[in-house]
Amino acid sequence: MGPSAEKKLTGLLAATFTPFTTQGEVNLVEIGPYVDYLQEKQGVNSIFVNGTTGESLSLTVAERKILAEEWCQKAKGRLDHVIVHVGCMNLKDSKELAAHAAQIGAHAIAAMAPFFFKPRTADVLRSFLQEVASAAPTLPFYYYHIPCVTGVNLPVRDVLEGIEELIPSFRGVKFSGADLMDFGYCVSNYPPHWSFLYGMDEQLLAALAMGADGAVGSTYNYAGRHFNKLISAFKDGDVVQARKIQFKMQELLCYAMKLGFDVGVNKQLMNELSGLSLGPPRLPVTPCTYADVGLIVKKYLQIFADC
């Protein structure tokens, strides 16, 4: 997708859901309307596909390839960045997906740590990431840190030590962890051309104060327009307004968590709020009752009624 691959990543990236049919098969038909919705209704112009929100580890390599191809095709000339997550539990599949992402015109790739056989040291994790990145050396590469899922709790500041010598294409981190000290250390001690993208929507404002360049998250699919206002308020020095919006999202998520909020429930919420037909989640993720989703939708509409 040309020179935009080297633009520094900033702003919001929606971590996209994977559309399924009611029978649980990948549904490519919805991706075009999905791109339209993000751009026109949410003001979100970059995406992170086949990640946690996209149920990537419940997809086959073949499914991840056809999804990545369709996202890149539908986003071409429209969205600023398409990052394809290529992390798998084994190195060969990760490298295959990385090479494929380069072939189809993705702007960048990212990989989380494998979490069945876990890397025990930062050196081992760097070696794994180096091998993945080597399969697509022309694409910017991002480390996807998500310890609540992987159980790999190595400080990111340790993982980044000397990483650009091993991975010349390294360009930053999707930091989906709560340790803002680790996050802040990375922002303040590593190159300014790297992008540090925060991945916990419920505390984005705190990350912006620590120097986050942007954010990747699931709620930006249906609440991106609100978070864009939060970012704008923060940039304008209106911390009171930025905090007001952040507190609204925290109120929504606190309510949803009492009803068992997870990827499946989040996907149902996206279906209801967007009008898209993204289907159910894939086992072992399960949907919640229609009544519970209705309650979350009602809460969302109440909280953001004045926005």
Side-chain angles (χ1 to χ4, degrees), residues 26-307:
V26 169
N27 183 13
L28 300 180
V29 173
E30 285 296 305
I31 291 179
Y34 197 154
V35 170
D36 293 340
Y37 172 81
L38 289 175
Q39 191 172 52
E40 296 168 9
K41 301 297 185 182
Q42 299 301 331
V44 173
N45 296 302
S46 295
I47 54 177
F48 186 95
V49 307
N50 291 347
T52 304
T53 302
E55 303 175 73
S56 62
L57 275 296
S58 294
L59 301 169
T60 66
V61 168
E63 287 175 327
R64 289 173 70 169
K65 284 183 176 181
I66 62 171
L67 282 161
E69 288 175 17
E70 191 69 13
W71 281 113
C72 286
Q73 181 181 344
K74 291 297 187 290
K76 188 174 183 178
R78 300 197 61 195
L79 300 185
D80 296 333
H81 290 93
V82 178
I83 300 183
V84 177
H85 172 245
V86 300
C88 298
M89 293 304 97
N90 71 82
L91 185 57
K92 288 188 69 175
D93 286 350
S94 295
K95 293 181 73 170
E96 182 177 341
L97 288 170
H100 177 261
Q103 293 166 6
I104 62 174
H107 293 113
I109 55 173
M112 66 173 69
F115 52 88
F116 187 81
F117 292 115
K118 297 178 176 64
R120 291 199 278 181
T121 67
D123 283 340
V124 173
L125 178 52
R126 274 194 301 271
S127 294
F128 179 86
L129 298 176
Q130 179 187 19
E131 284 290 324
V132 176
S134 71
T138 62
L139 286 185
F141 180 84
Y142 294 82
Y143 168 48
Y144 178 9
H145 175 64
I146 182 163
C148 64
V149 171
T150 64
V152 177
N153 290 292
L154 298 166
V156 176
R157 59 186 180 272
D158 294 346
V159 178
L160 299 188
E161 197 170 315
I163 199 167
E164 200 168 29
E165 296 175 11
L166 296 175
I167 307 174
S169 59
F170 191 83
R171 291 297 181 271
V173 180
K174 178 185 184 298
F175 194 107
S176 296
D179 187 348
L180 286 172
M181 185 181 80
D182 189 26
F183 182 77
Y185 183 94
C186 293
V187 172
S188 63
N189 284 277
Y190 287 103
H193 66 274
W194 290 1
S195 293
F196 289 94
L197 308 168
Y198 200 61
M200 300 187 74
D201 310 7
E202 63 272 24
Q203 53 192 46
L204 172 59
L205 181 55
L208 291 174
M210 298 296 287
D213 297 295
V216 183
S218 59
T219 67
Y220 308 145
N221 284 283
Y222 51 80
R225 64 187 186 276
H226 304 305
F227 278 99
N228 276 325
K229 291 177 182 178
L230 184 158
I231 292 172
S232 293
F234 178 79
K235 287 180 177 178
D236 292 341
D238 190 350
V239 177
V240 172
Q241 177 61 18
R243 191 184 295 136
K244 179 181 177 182
I245 299 168
Q246 184 71 87
F247 287 165
K248 284 177 179 288
M249 183 51 65
Q250 289 179 343
E251 182 182 354
L252 176 70
L253 292 177
C254 284
Y255 179 83
M257 286 173 184
K258 293 179 180 178
L259 298 174
F261 191 69
D262 63 5
V263 171
V265 177
N266 206 9
K267 189 176 190 181
Q268 289 173 270
L269 185 57
M270 175 63 173
N271 280 329
E272 294 297 320
L273 291 171
S274 69
L276 297 169
S277 298
L278 304 181
R282 180 175 283 181
L283 285 170
V285 180
T286 57
C288 72
T289 67
Y290 184 79
D292 283 349
V293 173
L295 290 173
I296 301 172
V297 170
K298 182 178 179 181
K299 188 71 171 177
Y300 174 93
L301 296 175
Q302 289 174 343
I303 291 172
F304 290 103
D306 60 343
C307 294

